[in-house]
Amino acid sequence: MDLFAHKSLLFLLSFIGCCAAQKILPDGPVDAILGRNVTLTTLIKDMGNSILSWSFHDGEKQIPVATVSPTTSNIGPLYEGRASINRSNGFLYLSGLKPEDSGDYTVTFIPPDLTTRTSIIELRVLVPVSKVSITSNLPEAIEHNSTVILTCAAKGSLLNFTWINGTTPIVSNKRITVKEAETSSTLTVTDVLRSDLIGPIFCAAANKLETEKSPAFNLTVFFGPDAVTITPSEKSQFIRAGSNFSLSCSASSMPDATFTWYRNQSMLEIGGPVLRLETIEELGLGKQMAEYSCSAKNTKTQRIVSSSGFSFVVMEPISGVKISGPTATLIAGNSTANLSCQAMAGTVMTRKWLKDGKPLSASSRLVFASDMSSMMINPLQKEDNGEYMCELANPVTTEKASYKMVVNYGPEAVIVSGTEAVEVNDEVVFTCSADSVPPANFTWKFNGTMTDIKTAQYMLGKVLYKNSGTYTCEAHNAVTGKTTVSSHKLSVKEEGALDGLSDGAIAGIVIAVLVALAAAVALIIYCRQKVP
C-alpha cells in the first residue's frame, strides 16, 4: 500500500470513527522507559476480517504508525524498523523508545459490518531513575541546637521520594518536614534529636516502573552527657579493705564524656571513669566516712553534669576464726563442755552459734557468755552430738569455724528382730540393733549359754527341733562401760505345719457346712407338710 493510499485509509477511518467512537483500548496512560520497548495492547480478542490502524498525534497532525487488514499490514515510514503489529489482536509493539514517542496514540477498528470503533491511549516515555544522592547542610549536629537540612536529588521522570531511617520510613511531624520538587526532596529536622538520624539514612526515588535507592548517609549528632550514674547502684557504707572494690561513673554521651572525681566536694587528682579502692588507700583516704562523686563533661556540647554522692568508710575484714573445745572423752550425763570462739584479726560486731546448721538458744543446760564469745553445756546429753559452728560478722565480712562434738552414750534401745516360728530345715537370721556411741559390741546366748557369735547377726542354717528356745543379745559400749540385753524366742515346727489352714480353721469350715446342710433338709420337710 503506497503512502497516498495509507493516508487516505487513515482519513476514512478517522471520518467513520467520528461517527461511531467506542472504547477498544484499556485504561491509560501507559508508562515505558526511555530506550526500552513497549507493547500497546487492545481489548480485541480476534481480528477476523477486520481492519485496524494505529496513528500518533504529534501535537499538530496525525502520523500513521501501522495498519493491518485481512490481507496486508503496513508500517508508517517514520516507524519502519521500530514498530510491528499483531495480526490476531492488533497489539502495537514499539522498540528503542525516544522522548518524542510520548503522546496520544489512536487506534481505529473496522469490522466487516463497518461499525467503526476508535480509542485513544497516552504513552509516557520516562527517563530512567538514576544518580540518587543525599547532601547535608551540616557536617555534624548538636542535639537540641541544630537544624539539619538533607536534600535528596535524582534524575528521572515523574519521581516520588521516600526517606528511610534504617528500615523505618521517616514521617513528618512538628519538627520534621518534607518538601517535594520535580527531581528532589528536602528533609528538614528542627532541634534535631539523636534518635532522628540514627541511620543509616536512605532516600528512595521512584516512578511507576523503577525505584532507585541512594547510598547510605550518616550524620553524627552530638549529645549528652545525660544523667550521670555511679555504680555499684546498691551502695554500702562499709567497704572491705584490700578488696577489688571500685566506683564507676557513666553517662550516655557522644562523644564519650570525660570524668572528674570529688571527695566531700573537693576535686581529686584522679581522671577516668573508674575510681579504685586501691587508689583511695594509696592516697591515705577511706579510714574516715566521706562522700565520693563524679562529674561528666562533653567537649562538643560543652555540657557538664554531676552525679549523686556515695558515702562509705573502709573496714578491715575478720580473719583467723577458731573454736576451742574440750579434748577429753565426753560421756552423756557425766560431762560438761565449754566452747569458745575467737578471731585473729578484724572487728567483730556480731556473733552467732549454730548446731548442725540451726541457731542455738539458751536453755537450762546451755549458757552463753554476755558477748556470745563462749558457751557451756552442763550436763551433756546424747542429743548434744553434732557439729557446732560459730559465725563472726561485721558489715564487710562473715567468717565461720566449726567443732565436732562427740558425746558417748548407750547402748540404748537394744532390739532383736527375726521370725518367731519356723519349720524344720528353714534358715533363720536374727539381727541385734542398739543406739550407741561408739557402736556397741555384740555377744549372743542361747537358753542362757554363751555362744561364739560376736556380730550383730545370728544366722542358723536348716534348723532342727533342738534350736527352739530363747536367744539373747548383749550390747556393750566399751567407753561408757554399759551393757544392755534383749531376748527373742524361736519355735521350730514340723514341715508343713505353717502352710495352708490351721486345724481350728478346718474344723470351723466342716461345722459350717453341716449346719447349712441341716437347715436345707429342714426347709424341704417343712414345705412338703404345707402342701395339701
Side-chain angles (χ1 to χ4, degrees), residues 345-379:
T347 302
V348 178
M349 300 183 69
T350 61
R351 289 180 171 87
K352 184 188 297 184
W353 288 90
L354 303 96
K355 177 181 177 290
D356 297 329
K358 296 181 180 179
L360 284 172
S361 57
S363 68
S364 60
R365 295 190 303 110
L366 174 59
V367 179
F368 291 105
S370 59
D371 62 355
M372 297 293 286
S373 62
S374 63
M375 57 175 282
M376 180 181 69
I377 305 174
N378 183 34

Side-chain angles (χ1 to χ4, degrees), residues 474-489:
E474 294 184 351
H476 177 71
N477 186 319
V479 176
T480 65
K482 292 183 178 181
T483 300
T484 307
V485 301
S486 177
S487 297
H488 185 83
K489 290 185 178 181

Side-chain angles (χ1 to χ4, degrees), residues 104-352:
D104 292 336
Y105 286 77
T106 302
V107 63
T108 303
F109 176 67
I110 305 175
D113 61 3
L114 300 181
T115 55
T116 303
R117 286 179 286 172
T118 301
S119 290
I120 299 174
I121 192 167
E122 181 186 4
L123 172 63
R124 299 188 298 190
V125 179
L126 307 182
V127 176
V129 181
S130 63
K131 296 185 178 179
V132 184
S133 62
I134 298 175
T135 56
S136 173
N137 67 319
L138 297 174
E140 56 189 35
I142 304 297
E143 186 177 42
H144 303 300
N145 292 340
S146 300
T147 294
V148 177
I149 301 174
L150 301 182
T151 301
C152 178
K155 290 188 176 182
S157 302
L158 305 177
L159 296 179
N160 292 311
F161 293 89
T162 303
W163 289 91
I164 304 167
N165 189 349
T167 59
T168 305
I170 297 176
V171 180
S172 297
N173 55 38
K174 292 182 179 180
R175 294 185 303 100
I176 300 176
T177 58
V178 177
K179 183 178 180 181
E180 302 285 348
E182 184 176 352
T183 58
S184 65
S185 176
T186 301
L187 175 68
T188 301
V189 184
T190 304
D191 297 332
V192 66
L193 302 178
R194 71 193 75 174
S195 58
D196 292 335
L197 303 172
I198 293 176
I201 305 298
F202 298 96
C203 171
N207 54 33
K208 288 185 177 181
L209 301 178
E210 289 185 320
T211 298
E212 188 73 22
K213 198 174 184 181
S214 71
F217 179 83
N218 290 282
L219 179 68
T220 300
V221 177
F222 296 119
F223 61 87
D226 294 341
V228 181
T229 303
I230 283 187
T231 54
S233 57
E234 296 183 2
K235 300 177 176 63
S236 172
Q237 291 186 334
F238 302 93
I239 304 300
R240 178 171 177 160
S243 66
N244 61 354
F245 174 81
S246 64
L247 294 177
S248 295
C249 194
S250 62
S252 182
S253 177
M254 173 61 74
D256 292 339
T258 57
F259 298 95
T260 304
W261 289 93
Y262 299 85
R263 180 180 182 273
N264 291 336
Q265 305 300 318
S266 297
M267 187 173 68
L268 298 174
E269 297 299 323
I270 301 171
V274 179
L275 176 60
R276 303 185 185 282
L277 178 60
E278 179 184 1
T279 304
I280 294 175
E281 292 177 323
E282 287 175 353
L283 294 174
L285 307 176
K287 296 180 180 179
Q288 302 295 327
M289 183 70 70
E291 181 186 72
Y292 296 82
S293 61
C294 71
S295 66
K297 178 180 180 180
N298 185 315
T299 57
K300 287 286 187 178
T301 65
Q302 295 301 308
R303 290 187 65 198
I304 299 176
V305 180
S306 297
S307 73
S308 58
F310 180 10
S311 297
F312 64 87
V313 64
V314 179
M315 178 173 283
E316 290 292 330
I318 297 170
S319 62
V321 179
K322 183 179 179 181
I323 293 181
S324 58
T327 57
T329 300
L330 304 176
I331 297 177
N334 296 331
S335 301
T336 298
N338 289 286
L339 301 181
S340 175
C341 184
Q342 302 296 332
M344 297 294 293
T347 302
V348 178
M349 300 183 69
T350 61
R351 289 180 171 87
K352 184 188 297 184

Side-chain angles (χ1 to χ4, degrees), residues 506-529:
I506 294 173
I509 293 173
V510 171
I511 292 171
V513 171
L514 291 175
V515 170
L517 182 59
V521 171
L523 179 61
I524 293 172
I525 294 172
Y526 175 77
C527 291
R528 285 182 177 179
Q529 291 175 349

